[in-house]
Amino acid sequence: MNFSIYGTGLMMGLSLIVAIGAQNAFILRQGLRNEHVFAVCLACAVSDAALIVLGVTSLQQIARFMPWLDPVMSYGGAAFLVWYGARSLYSALRSSAALTAGEAKSSSFRQTLATCLALTWLNPHVYLDTVVLLGTISTRYPGEQTSFAAGAVTGSFLFFFSLGYGAKRLRPIFSKPSSWRMLETLVAFTMWIIAFKLLGGM
Protein backbone atom coordinates (compact mmCIF):
# COMPACT_ATOMS: atom_id res chain seq x y z
CA MET A 1 0.00 0.00 0.00
CA ASN A 2 1.42 3.36 -1.09
CA PHE A 3 0.08 5.74 1.58
CA SER A 4 0.98 8.86 -0.39
CA ILE A 5 -1.19 7.75 -3.31
CA TYR A 6 -3.80 6.46 -0.85
CA GLY A 7 -3.97 10.00 0.59
CA THR A 8 -4.32 11.45 -2.89
CA GLY A 9 -7.21 9.10 -3.61
CA LEU A 10 -8.82 10.00 -0.28
CA MET A 11 -8.66 13.74 -0.96
CA MET A 12 -9.86 13.39 -4.56
CA GLY A 13 -12.76 11.20 -3.48
CA LEU A 14 -13.83 13.69 -0.81
CA SER A 15 -13.51 16.69 -3.12
CA LEU A 16 -15.85 15.14 -5.69
CA ILE A 17 -18.67 14.24 -3.30
CA VAL A 18 -18.62 17.08 -0.76
CA ALA A 19 -20.76 19.45 -2.87
CA ILE A 20 -24.50 19.25 -2.23
CA GLY A 21 -26.27 17.11 -4.77
CA ALA A 22 -29.22 14.79 -5.09
CA GLN A 23 -27.57 11.99 -3.13
CA ASN A 24 -26.17 14.21 -0.38
CA ALA A 25 -29.42 16.14 0.04
CA PHE A 26 -31.27 12.85 0.52
CA ILE A 27 -28.77 11.60 3.12
CA LEU A 28 -29.03 14.91 4.98
CA ARG A 29 -32.80 14.66 5.02
CA GLN A 30 -32.73 11.07 6.30
CA GLY A 31 -30.20 12.03 8.97
CA LEU A 32 -32.39 14.86 10.18
CA ARG A 33 -35.37 12.52 10.34
CA ASN A 34 -33.23 9.83 12.02
CA GLU A 35 -34.74 7.36 9.59
CA HIS A 36 -32.87 4.36 8.14
CA VAL A 37 -29.65 6.36 8.42
CA PHE A 38 -27.21 3.45 8.55
CA ALA A 39 -28.77 1.66 5.59
CA VAL A 40 -28.83 4.82 3.46
CA CYS A 41 -25.21 5.71 4.27
CA LEU A 42 -24.05 2.14 3.67
CA ALA A 43 -25.94 1.88 0.36
CA CYS A 44 -24.38 5.13 -0.91
CA ALA A 45 -20.88 4.21 0.26
CA VAL A 46 -20.98 0.69 -1.18
CA SER A 47 -22.40 1.98 -4.47
CA ASP A 48 -19.63 4.57 -4.67
CA ALA A 49 -17.02 1.93 -3.88
CA ALA A 50 -18.32 -0.34 -6.65
CA LEU A 51 -18.26 2.50 -9.18
CA ILE A 52 -14.78 3.64 -8.14
CA VAL A 53 -13.41 0.13 -8.56
CA LEU A 54 -15.19 -0.13 -11.91
CA GLY A 55 -13.66 3.13 -13.09
CA VAL A 56 -10.14 2.27 -11.96
CA THR A 57 -10.22 -1.17 -13.56
CA SER A 58 -12.50 -0.87 -16.60
CA LEU A 59 -12.89 2.76 -17.79
CA GLN A 60 -11.41 2.35 -21.25
CA GLN A 61 -13.35 -0.82 -22.02
CA ILE A 62 -16.66 0.74 -20.92
CA ALA A 63 -16.24 3.78 -23.17
CA ARG A 64 -15.39 1.58 -26.14
CA PHE A 65 -18.25 -0.91 -25.90
CA MET A 66 -21.10 1.18 -24.44
CA PRO A 67 -21.25 4.56 -26.24
CA TRP A 68 -25.05 4.65 -25.79
CA LEU A 69 -24.88 4.61 -21.99
CA ASP A 70 -24.34 8.35 -21.50
CA PRO A 71 -27.52 9.64 -23.22
CA VAL A 72 -29.66 6.90 -21.67
CA MET A 73 -28.44 7.73 -18.16
CA SER A 74 -28.78 11.47 -18.75
CA TYR A 75 -32.43 11.35 -19.84
CA GLY A 76 -33.43 8.73 -17.28
CA GLY A 77 -31.63 10.50 -14.46
CA ALA A 78 -33.10 13.90 -15.37
CA ALA A 79 -36.64 12.48 -15.42
CA PHE A 80 -36.19 10.93 -11.98
CA LEU A 81 -34.70 14.12 -10.51
CA VAL A 82 -37.57 16.24 -11.85
CA TRP A 83 -40.09 13.87 -10.25
CA TYR A 84 -38.24 13.74 -6.93
CA GLY A 85 -37.90 17.52 -6.84
CA ALA A 86 -41.63 17.94 -7.47
CA ARG A 87 -42.39 15.56 -4.61
CA SER A 88 -40.12 17.52 -2.26
CA LEU A 89 -41.70 20.84 -3.22
CA TYR A 90 -45.17 19.38 -2.71
CA SER A 91 -44.08 18.25 0.75
CA ALA A 92 -42.77 21.75 1.52
CA LEU A 93 -45.99 23.44 0.42
CA ARG A 94 -48.28 21.19 2.44
CA SER A 95 -46.18 20.95 5.63
CA SER A 96 -47.68 22.16 8.89
CA ALA A 97 -46.80 22.61 12.55
CA ALA A 98 -46.88 18.82 12.91
CA LEU A 99 -43.91 18.38 10.60
CA THR A 100 -40.94 18.04 12.95
CA ALA A 101 -37.90 15.83 13.03
CA GLY A 102 -39.58 13.37 15.33
CA GLU A 103 -43.06 13.50 13.91
CA ALA A 104 -42.52 13.67 10.15
CA LYS A 105 -44.27 10.89 8.30
CA SER A 106 -41.84 8.02 7.94
CA SER A 107 -41.12 6.02 4.83
CA SER A 108 -40.75 2.26 4.75
CA PHE A 109 -37.30 0.76 4.67
CA ARG A 110 -37.89 -0.63 1.18
CA GLN A 111 -39.14 2.70 -0.17
CA THR A 112 -36.28 4.63 1.39
CA LEU A 113 -33.64 2.23 0.07
CA ALA A 114 -35.18 2.19 -3.41
CA THR A 115 -35.14 6.00 -3.54
CA CYS A 116 -31.56 6.10 -2.29
CA LEU A 117 -30.38 3.61 -4.93
CA ALA A 118 -32.27 5.43 -7.67
CA LEU A 119 -30.69 8.76 -6.70
CA THR A 120 -27.32 7.04 -6.88
CA TRP A 121 -27.54 4.80 -9.94
CA LEU A 122 -29.78 7.01 -12.11
CA ASN A 123 -27.59 10.07 -11.66
CA PRO A 124 -25.03 10.38 -14.48
CA HIS A 125 -22.96 12.79 -12.38
CA VAL A 126 -22.20 9.90 -10.04
CA TYR A 127 -20.70 7.99 -12.96
CA LEU A 128 -18.81 11.08 -14.12
CA ASP A 129 -17.28 11.62 -10.68
CA THR A 130 -16.47 8.00 -9.85
CA VAL A 131 -16.03 5.98 -13.04
CA VAL A 132 -14.78 8.69 -15.40
CA LEU A 133 -12.90 11.26 -13.29
CA LEU A 134 -11.45 9.00 -10.62
CA GLY A 135 -10.82 6.30 -13.20
CA THR A 136 -8.93 8.78 -15.37
CA ILE A 137 -6.90 10.19 -12.48
CA SER A 138 -5.92 6.70 -11.36
CA THR A 139 -4.13 6.15 -14.69
CA ARG A 140 -1.51 8.65 -13.48
CA TYR A 141 -0.34 6.05 -10.96
CA PRO A 142 0.50 2.92 -12.97
CA GLY A 143 0.88 -0.06 -10.70
CA GLU A 144 -0.56 1.85 -7.74
CA GLN A 145 -4.22 2.07 -8.79
CA THR A 146 -5.21 -0.15 -5.88
CA SER A 147 -3.87 2.36 -3.36
CA PHE A 148 -5.62 5.23 -5.14
CA ALA A 149 -8.93 3.35 -5.29
CA ALA A 150 -8.67 2.37 -1.60
CA GLY A 151 -8.20 6.03 -0.66
CA ALA A 152 -11.17 7.16 -2.74
CA VAL A 153 -13.39 4.43 -1.30
CA THR A 154 -12.35 5.41 2.25
CA GLY A 155 -13.31 9.00 1.43
CA SER A 156 -16.78 7.92 0.37
CA PHE A 157 -17.41 5.94 3.57
CA LEU A 158 -16.11 8.77 5.76
CA PHE A 159 -18.19 11.42 4.03
CA PHE A 160 -21.52 9.60 3.79
CA PHE A 161 -21.53 8.35 7.38
CA SER A 162 -20.36 11.73 8.70
CA LEU A 163 -23.13 13.47 6.77
CA GLY A 164 -25.84 11.02 7.82
CA TYR A 165 -25.02 10.89 11.52
CA GLY A 166 -23.70 14.44 11.78
CA ALA A 167 -27.07 15.72 10.62
CA LYS A 168 -28.49 14.80 14.03
CA ARG A 169 -26.72 17.81 15.50
CA LEU A 170 -28.92 20.01 13.33
CA ARG A 171 -32.16 18.50 14.58
CA PRO A 172 -32.95 21.32 17.08
CA ILE A 173 -32.95 23.76 14.16
CA PHE A 174 -35.33 21.55 12.22
CA SER A 175 -37.79 21.24 15.08
CA LYS A 176 -39.47 24.23 13.44
CA PRO A 177 -41.79 23.48 10.49
CA SER A 178 -40.38 26.49 8.62
CA SER A 179 -36.92 24.90 8.63
CA TRP A 180 -38.32 21.68 7.19
CA ARG A 181 -40.11 23.65 4.48
CA MET A 182 -36.85 25.40 3.61
CA LEU A 183 -34.99 22.07 3.46
CA GLU A 184 -37.62 20.44 1.25
CA THR A 185 -37.60 23.49 -1.04
CA LEU A 186 -33.79 23.40 -1.22
CA VAL A 187 -33.89 19.71 -2.07
CA ALA A 188 -36.48 20.34 -4.80
CA PHE A 189 -34.48 23.08 -6.50
CA THR A 190 -31.25 21.14 -6.12
CA MET A 191 -32.82 18.20 -7.96
CA TRP A 192 -34.18 20.45 -10.72
CA ILE A 193 -30.89 22.29 -11.20
CA ILE A 194 -29.04 19.00 -11.56
CA ALA A 195 -31.67 17.74 -14.02
CA PHE A 196 -31.35 20.96 -16.05
CA LYS A 197 -27.57 20.59 -16.17
CA LEU A 198 -27.91 16.99 -17.31
CA LEU A 199 -30.20 17.91 -20.19
CA GLY A 200 -28.18 21.02 -21.01
CA GLY A 201 -25.06 18.93 -21.47
CA MET A 202 -26.69 16.65 -24.02
Side-chain angles (χ1 to χ4, degrees):
M1 175 72 72
N2 186 317
F3 286 100
S4 174
I5 296 177
Y6 173 88
T8 300
L10 174 65
M11 296 307 299
M12 286 303 305
L14 286 172
S15 67
L16 289 175
I17 61 176
V18 71
I20 187 168
Q23 192 181 48
N24 294 349
F26 182 76
I27 295 174
L28 176 62
R29 184 173 182 272
Q30 292 303 118
L32 289 168
R33 294 165 65 102
N34 195 27
E35 185 177 274
H36 312 304
V37 179
F38 180 82
V40 167
C41 294
L42 183 62
C44 289
V46 170
S47 295
D48 247 31
L51 291 170
I52 290 169
V53 172
L54 182 66
V56 170
T57 60
S58 309
L59 176 61
Q60 294 179 343
Q61 291 84 348
I62 293 172
R64 187 182 306 121
F65 291 107
M66 303 177 69
W68 49 266
L69 184 62
D70 182 60
V72 169
M73 292 304 301
S74 292
Y75 284 118
F80 178 81
L81 291 172
V82 168
W83 170 81
Y84 190 86
R87 193 181 75 165
S88 294
L89 186 60
Y90 176 75
S91 176
L93 294 175
R94 66 186 297 269
S95 62
S96 65
L99 183 59
T100 65
E103 299 169 356
K105 182 180 179 181
S106 61
S107 300
S108 68
F109 174 80
R110 181 178 298 181
Q111 180 184 0
T112 300
L113 188 60
T115 301
C116 176
L117 293 176
L119 286 171
T120 300
W121 293 91
L122 293 180
N123 183 359
H125 280 297
V126 173
Y127 295 88
L128 176 63
D129 290 347
T130 55
V131 177
V132 178
L133 293 181
L134 290 177
T136 300
I137 294 171
S138 71
T139 61
R140 301 177 184 176
Y141 309 103
E144 300 288 351
Q145 286 96 332
T146 300
S147 297
F148 181 87
V153 168
T154 301
S156 292
F157 274 84
L158 285 175
F159 177 79
F160 288 130
F161 278 92
S162 296
L163 179 62
Y165 285 97
K168 292 181 180 180
R169 296 183 178 273
L170 300 175
R171 290 183 70 185
I173 298 175
F174 287 88
S175 62
K176 301 177 181 179
S178 59
S179 297
W180 274 105
R181 287 195 294 269
M182 290 176 61
L183 175 64
E184 294 285 15
T185 302
L186 175 63
V187 169
F189 281 99
T190 298
M191 304 298 176
W192 288 343
I193 290 171
I194 296 171
F196 178 78
K197 289 181 178 179
L198 289 179
L199 296 177
M202 295 297 294

